[in-house]
Amino acid sequence: RNLIDTTTSVVRVRRSSDNTEQDFTSAEITDGTLTTFTGANDGFVTTWYDQSGNSKHATQSTALYQRILVTNGVLNTYNGKPCDDYVAGSIAYNVPNDAYSAPFTYFMVAKPNSSGADVYQGSGNNGTSILDNNRARFYGGNFIDAFHNLGLDQIVTYALFNGVSSEFQVNDITPITTGDIGTSTNVQANKFGFAGYHNTGGQVFTGKFQEMIIYTSDKSTYREGVISNINTEYTIY
């Protein structure tokens, strides 16, 4: 969806029939323009465009690793909204390699397809994990858990990476979990969360993904407003 009024294209898609790629606006994803482009074939995400104006676009140029947005000519959706989905082989998306310094803030909308789904940002074992092994787990050198036995529900998560003052919450209905998330020295966006990447691809997000917002600052005072806006859009809880 458009998060900023000036947003144009939100995604770039490769069609499986001839590997042609094309950009699409949010409206074009749902008004039939995208599925006209793909025909009865599949459409794979090559780029999720950064809407901040900072050109931190998340890209995956290897066809085998790309997540799927259109399957056999039908737009993938969950709860009535477009989503990309895991297919066998898909792993991480890459963005410009800028290290983050604490604090920074995540908001994410995702739905695991399996209990081992992992949403991860970083490189190797030194980044930040937000979902891990059937629980909402926040990791940046240390673990704090917000919700065990996550199951396969669609969720929105809030996570503040801020050392000993870190916070984590699921769906604005669980208590905010606080703790020391650690001070990972390799918290980078070179392997980005919605594809999932951990330990050289050992844990991959096998699920549906709809939104990731990252602020490179502490936005805890905006938590309720942002989560409310997200829930209005996706009707998560």
Side-chain angles (χ1 to χ4, degrees):
R1 63 166 175 158
N2 282 8
L3 296 173
I4 299 174
D5 291 342
T6 55
T7 295
T8 53
S9 296
V10 296
V11 71
R12 186 170 182 83
V13 175
R14 173 185 63 85
R15 64 186 178 198
S16 60
S17 58
D18 61 2
N19 294 321
T20 297
E21 297 182 13
Q22 185 170 308
D23 291 342
F24 293 91
T25 67
S26 178
E28 289 171 340
I29 292 173
T30 57
D31 69 5
T33 304
L34 172 58
T35 52
T36 297
F37 167 75
T38 61
N41 306 288
D42 297 332
F44 294 90
V45 176
T46 65
T47 305
W48 277 72
Y49 285 112
D50 171 25
Q51 297 186 38
S52 71
N54 294 315
S55 298
K56 306 299 183 186
H57 310 308
T59 61
Q60 180 50 263
S61 59
T62 302
L64 177 64
Y65 298 161
Q66 293 165 357
R67 291 169 59 84
I68 193 166
L69 182 58
V70 177
T71 304
N72 296 326
V74 178
L75 177 67
N76 293 336
T77 63
Y78 187 78
N79 214 7
K81 300 292 182 177
C83 64
D84 80 353
D85 206 346
Y86 170 80
V87 290
S90 58
I91 55 169
Y93 281 63
N94 304 300
V95 306
N97 188 4
D98 290 342
Y100 290 174
S101 298
F104 57 89
T105 310
Y106 294 101
F107 295 92
M108 180 187 70
V109 180
K111 182 201 177 297
N113 290 345
S114 67
S115 60
D118 187 57
V119 173
Y120 189 82
Q121 184 212 355
S123 179
N125 289 316
N126 296 319
T128 54
S129 179
I130 303 175
L131 296 182
D132 177 36
N133 196 24
N134 205 34
R135 70 190 66 181
R137 165 173 276 188
F138 193 23
Y139 171 80
N142 298 323
F143 291 103
I144 58 174
D145 293 354
F147 197 60
H148 288 268
N149 300 316
L150 186 63
L152 304 182
D153 294 333
Q154 181 190 34
I155 60 169
V156 53
T157 61
Y158 153 76
L160 171 65
F161 190 112
N162 195 20
V164 297
S165 301
S166 298
E167 297 182 346
F168 194 32
Q169 187 181 35
V170 176
N171 287 0
D172 201 29
I173 55 176
T174 61
I176 295 178
T177 302
T178 60
D180 180 3
I181 199 64
T183 55
S184 171
T185 59
N186 195 21
V187 180
Q188 301 170 341
N190 61 322
K191 300 294 183 186
F192 195 58
F194 50 71
Y197 188 88
H198 181 50
N199 195 19
T200 317
Q203 290 173 278
V204 175
F205 179 50
T206 53
K208 299 170 175 62
F209 198 91
Q210 292 175 301
E211 191 155 298
M212 172 74 89
I213 303 170
I214 298 178
Y215 294 97
T216 53
S217 58
D218 179 349
K219 293 295 184 181
S220 56
T221 58
Y222 293 90
R223 174 186 56 81
E224 290 185 356
V226 174
I227 291 178
S228 176
N229 176 275
I230 290 171
N231 190 55
T232 296
E233 174 71 14
Y234 296 101
T235 320
I236 298 167
Y237 60 89

